[in-house]
Amino acid sequence: MSLPPLEDLVACSQCDTLHNAMTLSEGETAACRQCGTPLMTSRSSALARVLSLALTSVVLMIAAISFPFLDLDVQGRQSGTSVIGAVLAFQSSWGFPLAIAVAGFIIILPLTRLIALIYAIGPLTRGAKPRRYARQAFALAERLRPWSMVEIFMVGVTVALIKVAGLATVTIGPAFWAFAALVVITVLKDQLICRYSIWEELDTARA
Amino acid sequence: MTTAREAGLVACRRCGQVEVISAPHCQRCGSALQSRDERSLQKVWAWLIAGMIVYIPANLYPMLITRSLGHTSDSTIFGGVVELVELGSYDIAFVVFFASVVIPIGKFIAIIYLAISVQRRSILNMHQRHKLYEVIEFIGRWSMIDVFVVAILSALVQLDSIATINPGIAAVSFALSVLFTMLAAQSFDPRLIWDASRNTE
C-alpha cells in the first residue's frame, strides 16, 4: 500500500484510525470515521477570537482574586472571604496540602494555562513567527485543561451559599460576578480552540 | 479502516501528527511517541486502587466540623447530603449526592470494567465502551464540588463564638481520591478498546 506524505495524514488520537487530512471550508468539522472523535475544524479566524477571550479571562481572573467575594452577616457579626481567603481556609495542620490543591485548581493552573496560550498563539494572530518555546507553551496549555476547575468551583460556591443561606445574610461581592463571567468566557474559549489547526499553524509559521 | 499502526506509522496523541513507527519523538510538538501505551493498564490499576483506598476514609471521617454556640457537630459526605435534604434543597442535595457518591463509585466500576474488557471479550461493543471512556474522562473532575464547598464554607463561616466551620480530614482524602481516579482515567489508552475489538473480528 502506498501512502500519501505524512503531513497529509491525520490519525485519530482515540482509536488510531488513519485518515487523509482535508481542507475544510469555514465552519466545517471533520470527525473520525471509526469512533466519531472530532479530528479538525476549519482553520479559521478563530485564533484571534481565542486570543481575545484569553486576554479577557486574565483580566477577569485578576478582578476575581482582588475584590471581595462573599460577605456574611449574622446578628451584626460580620465575616467575609475573597478567593484567596477560600484558598487559605485550610490553615489547620493537615489542611495545607488541600490549600495548595485549591489554589492550584482555581488560580494557579487556570492562570498558567491562559498565559501559556496567549504566549503561544499571540504572534500567530498577527501573522508573525511563533515565539521560542511556543510549542511547549501550547502543549502545556492543553495538558492543563482538565486541571483547571473554575467552573466546578462556581458550582461549589452555589452549594455553599445554599448551606449558609438559612444561617446568615450573605452579600455577593464583585469578585463573585467576575468569577461567574470567567466561567462563561472559559467555556466559549475552549470550544473555539482547535488543537489540530493551532498545531498546523505553529508548524507552517515556523517553515 | 486502517490504523496508523497497521500502516507502520505512529500518531502523536497530543497534536495529531503522524510519524513513522520508529520515531521516538513527535517532530511537531516534541512529545514522546508510543504506538500503544504498553504500561497503560498497570498505571490505570495503580491509580485506581490508590483512589479507592483513600475513598474509604473520605466517607468515614468528617468532611466539615461545625462549632456553633459551644457545641460541635461533624458531618460526613453523606451527612452533608442529608443536611441539604432537611433544608429542603432537594435539587442541590441531588447535585452533591451525584458529584460525591454516584460519580466516584460509578467511575471505579467503569474504569475496572474498561481495564478488564480490553483483555477479554466484552458485552458492550467498542462504540459503547469508547463512549463510557469519554464520559468518565469528562465527568471525573466534577467530583471536586464538595471539596470546594468545604473550602468556601470554612473560609466564610468564621464568627468566633456564634459559628465556625472547619474542614475535616475527609476533605483531604476525598480530594486525593478524585485526583487519583482522574489520573487513572488519563492513563487509560483508549486505542486499546479498539484494538481488542479489531483482534476479535
Side-chain angles (χ1 to χ4, degrees), chain A residues 73-136:
Chain A
D73 193 319
V74 188
Q75 297 153 20
R77 299 212 48 160
Q78 300 202 334
S79 148
T81 187
S82 60
V83 175
I84 302 278
V87 167
L88 296 176
F90 301 102
Q91 285 155 338
S92 40
S93 50
W94 39 258
F96 185 64
L98 212 48
I100 293 180
V102 173
F105 291 145
I106 65 175
I107 303 172
I108 300 167
L109 297 182
L111 259 186
T112 312
R113 194 175 159 226
L114 286 169
I115 292 165
L117 189 67
I118 293 168
Y119 179 86
I121 68 172
L124 298 183
T125 54
R126 301 193 308 265
K129 284 183 78 151
R131 291 195 178 94
R132 265 185 91 187
Y133 305 117
R135 291 136 194 285
Q136 284 84 345

Side-chain angles (χ1 to χ4, degrees), chain B residues 31-141:
Chain B
S31 64
L33 294 178
Q34 257 183 318
S35 179
R36 294 294 178 274
D37 187 351
E38 308 290 344
R39 285 181 307 163
S40 161
L41 289 179
Q42 267 183 46
K43 286 185 269 182
V44 170
W45 284 114
W47 286 123
L48 181 70
I49 291 167
M52 289 169 82
I53 291 172
V54 287
Y55 189 66
I56 300 169
N59 279 281
L60 297 179
Y61 289 99
M63 195 84 174
L64 279 176
I65 302 163
T66 312
R67 214 168 279 113
S68 169
L69 301 169
H71 78 93
T72 306
S73 68
D74 293 346
S75 68
T76 55
I77 289 177
F78 197 74
V81 176
V82 173
E83 204 176 284
L84 281 167
V85 171
E86 282 165 357
L87 283 172
S89 323
Y90 299 106
D91 40 358
I92 300 291
F94 176 77
V95 170
V96 176
F97 179 72
F98 199 78
S100 315
V101 181
V102 179
I103 295 179
I105 293 179
K107 216 171 132 176
F108 294 146
I109 299 170
I111 295 176
I112 292 173
Y113 172 75
L114 284 177
I116 292 177
S117 76
V118 296
Q119 289 167 321
R120 336 169 156 239
R121 289 183 67 92
S122 158
I123 318 150
L124 294 183
N125 72 32
M126 60 226 182
H127 287 279
Q128 289 165 319
R129 276 185 285 154
H130 187 246
K131 196 86 225 154
L132 183 65
Y133 166 73
E134 280 184 336
V135 169
I136 52 175
E137 256 228 306
F138 169 79
I139 217 168
R141 355 176 4 247

Side-chain angles (χ1 to χ4, degrees), chain A residues 127-168:
Chain A
K129 284 183 78 151
R131 291 195 178 94
R132 265 185 91 187
Y133 305 117
R135 291 136 194 285
Q136 284 84 345
F138 184 63
L140 176 74
E142 281 295 296
R143 260 186 110 112
L144 290 179
R145 195 176 194 148
W147 301 103
S148 140
M149 301 191 180
V150 285
E151 71 277 35
I152 301 168
F153 178 71
M154 267 329 259
V155 177
V157 171
T158 316
V159 176
L161 280 179
I162 289 180
K163 284 200 171 188
V164 291
L167 185 96

Side-chain angles (χ1 to χ4, degrees), chain A residues 11 13-18 34-35 77 79 90 94 135 139 143 146 148 151-152 157 162 164 195 199-200, chain B residues 2-4 11 13-15 28-29 36 89 92 127 130 133 141 152 156 160 167-169 190-191 194 198:
Chain A
S13 66
Q14 303 294 303
C15 70
D16 211 30
T17 303
L18 210 52
Q34 175 81 269
C35 69
R77 299 212 48 160
S79 148
F90 301 102
W94 39 258
R135 291 136 194 285
R143 260 186 110 112
S148 140
E151 71 277 35
I152 301 168
V157 171
I162 289 180
V164 291
R195 232 162 38 107
W199 280 117
E200 284 265 281
Chain B
T2 333
T3 64
R13 293 199 62 199
R14 198 186 276 166
C15 69
R28 184 190 279 166
C29 71
R36 294 294 178 274
S89 323
I92 300 291
H127 287 279
H130 187 246
Y133 166 73
R141 355 176 4 247
I152 298 151
L156 196 57
D160 310 313
I169 194 149
R191 294 174 296 194
W194 298 90
R198 284 185 189 113

